[in-house]
Amino acid sequence: MRFRTLSVLKRITEIQGKRHINTMGNKRIAVCQMTSVADKVANLNVVSQLIRDAVKENVQVIFFPEACDFICDNKQDTLNSAESILTGNTVKKYRELAAEHNVWLSMGGVHEKNENDPKKLFNTHIIINNNGDIVQTYRKIHLFDVEIPERNIRLKESDFCTPGNQIVAPVDSPIGRIGLAICYDMRFPELSTALSIMGAEIITYPSAFTYATGSAHWHVLLRSRAIENQCYVVAAAQTGDHNAKRRSYGRGLCVDPWGEVLADCGESAPSFAIAEITDKIANVRRNMPVFQHRRPDVYSLYTLSLRNTLPQEHSHQVTPPENRTQHTTSGPANAFGHVKVPESCVFYKTGLTYAFVNIRCVIPGHVLVAPIRVVERNKDLTDDEADDFYRTVRLVQNLMERVHETQSCTITIQDGPDAGQTVRHLHCHIMPRKKGDFIENDLIYLELAKHDQVKPGHPAKPVRNLEEMEQEAAMLREELKKMTNDS
């Protein structure tokens, strides 16, 4: 099997079937192209050889296309071949290859087994670092569904795939901040704009574009995403005939922030192209500062579902099932709407108000203050209750800033269901803040809005175990005594 390296930098020379660039020190990437088939072992051998050849070109990140694990010709074989991200053999091999060759890998859209629905899977983009660790994952949010009965065309990804429900914050890598997307996502500029606003310098679109749509739109769409966001776009691609039913367009690309194509794999496979990521992004953004010219007073792009960390189901740090439900207690408890707060989780209490640790935290130190009497709205407090409630809020804020060594707090009340209140008992969230704890400062309100919601598209934050909460409450009681004595 012969692997061809393509490059379109300043000087191109062809030597023994590979094109080399005599430059060192810059951020270098390889954009891969392949023709996946139903045989996972054969595809893995192609991936392995591409990695072995690409690392000889001193690259730091290698990008692979959507469906790099396999492409079957029917739904049932596709479902049967899907694997878990954590326990599947295919991703395990990818991780071993990354560590063995000391290179980062973008595995752009593997078929992830859906543990909750045997009739569906996820299309998941995985970023693996040079130690073999999974540092981030993204589940494709836009599914390719096309049905044209008069032309006997029916391509519906939703028949076997469950869409993701979160944009993923850009990933820090040796070549810059990488924004994750997959194939059909490139037709939705809202996603790429959101990623660029969050600081993405490279946006990825690993793809298996159909031949008909690719020949019409592939270069146009990818160059547009690069130009409008003034960032690099990397799109590894499937190419050629996978089976009797499916053909992909190919032409894996790297486009620079000015819209110039730096690398194009053509139609050959397996192959890869080398490109360099330079400081051109800074020059383009300085010379044409479109981000400064945006008009948020007229229009805005507000990301409603954003994830900054690796999801639990893709991390070995998984909360045990017995800790994912509301805690019960046989000891003294306090009413908090429809639930009970164990007395052991309360760290401050007066005759009218109490403060307690949180079962689900948006950030470390996220605690709550509530009136002892069950009242739903701020307006329902008596004057005495209101005085005591806000004195307690101030006291607890001082305590949390002291304990967490901060000089800032987010203090907020979701007063009523239209404001995001889910527990019908007035309560104040107190969250000690540190610089950089959120990509954009106000994103904390989005996380707060969905941190305890359990419904499709809004998975709840994991609950903490009772022992952990009791330990935090005991610590806060001791720190409160110290603070009181110091004053």
Side-chain angles (χ1 to χ4, degrees), residues 122 139-141 163-167 304-306 455-459:
F122 295 104
R139 288 170 171 167
K140 187 177 182 181
I141 62 176
N165 54 44
Q166 292 176 317
I167 293 175
L304 296 176
S305 187
L306 175 69
K455 60 183 180 181
H458 293 283

Side-chain angles (χ1 to χ4, degrees), residues 204-222:
T204 56
Y205 293 104
S207 299
F209 238 61
T210 65
Y211 195 88
T213 56
S215 58
H217 299 149
W218 176 254
H219 284 79
V220 174
L221 285 170
L222 292 171

Side-chain angles (χ1 to χ4, degrees), residues 325-329 331-343 345-346 354 356-360 368 370-374 422-427 452 454 463 469:
T325 58
Q326 180 67 44
H327 296 304
T328 59
T329 179
N334 301 269
F336 182 50
H338 60 283
V339 298
K340 298 290 184 180
V341 176
E343 187 68 24
C345 294
V346 176
Y354 71 113
F356 53 100
V357 297
N358 203 351
I359 193 170
R360 291 187 174 96
L368 303 173
I372 291 175
R373 184 170 68 93
V374 179
T422 55
V423 178
R424 298 178 67 176
H425 185 152
L426 174 68
H427 55 284
D452 60 354
V454 187
V463 302
M469 295 169 64

